[in-house]
Amino acid sequence: MAQLIEEPTRVAKTSATIIDLILTNVPEKISHAGVFHVGISDHSLIYAVRKFKPLKRRPTIKKVRNFKHFSETEFISDLTNIPWQTVFTTSDPNLSWNKWKELFIGTLDKHAPVRHIRSGKHTTPWMTAEIRSAMRRRDYHKKKAIKLKSDSHWHNYKSLRNKVNKLIRVTKSTFYINKISECAETMDLKKCWSTINSLLGKQHKSNCISELKVGENVITDPNLIADHFNTHFINIGVYPDKNDTPNECGENLYFSDTNIHSQTNNKFNFSLIK
């Protein structure tokens, strides 16, 4: 095993020791290693750079709607003129839903087209210019204190380190208190939980099922996965039958296919919600 760190990693006013190590059994794969003196703690940051080809990460693309030229009056007018009666031409609720969605989304795309944008990088929302400035001055004095062995730089470093820690605590606390208060005033539970999860460090996890094991086979096709779930859930219960024993009200409970679908001549209209 090779030890890559050769510079003291914990430097105090009267001592300097190498107690933070990086060990490897393949030193030929490391381009360089070293110590970076930062003021976060008494221990300096150690690092090693491995030799490898940089990976090109795909940017995160989000779909958003452009409401720049959106007209509510024209949108409602177009929705009113859509032949909604075509939705009821089938007794299959899935086909009806797909038809309704096709008509509605088609009109929405006309008035508020979909745009693809690159998502921004993760930032620290409570970070301020004052904290960044104090951090830079803290790190500067620590580097000078180690290099020059200066008492004044050590004093300034410790003072700024305590100041930065206090600033972070106060600023972060104030930021989240204000955010939660805003959510309470607007009764926005979704935004409130998003704020709480970001405070707790919880990341959003997708609940999308990418594969399903059925017997000895693993299915990855989304349509087949949906079909197997549908088959499972429609068969876990007992279907009522016309010949079943009447219930306590003296009625036989059963489903009739003829009652699922009914024709309607009603015209689809939107009304203003006040």
Side-chain angles (χ1 to χ4, degrees), residues 133-150:
S133 176
M135 285 179 169
R136 286 193 292 267
R137 288 185 284 118
R138 175 201 63 188
D139 295 344
Y140 167 80
H141 284 290
K142 183 174 183 180
K143 291 177 182 178
K144 287 295 184 180
I146 293 174
K147 184 177 181 179
L148 304 176
K149 302 186 184 302
S150 168

Side-chain angles (χ1 to χ4, degrees), residues 37 49 70 122 132 134 189 246 264:
H37 299 292
V49 180
F70 180 80
H122 176 72
R132 289 192 181 95
L189 295 180
T264 178

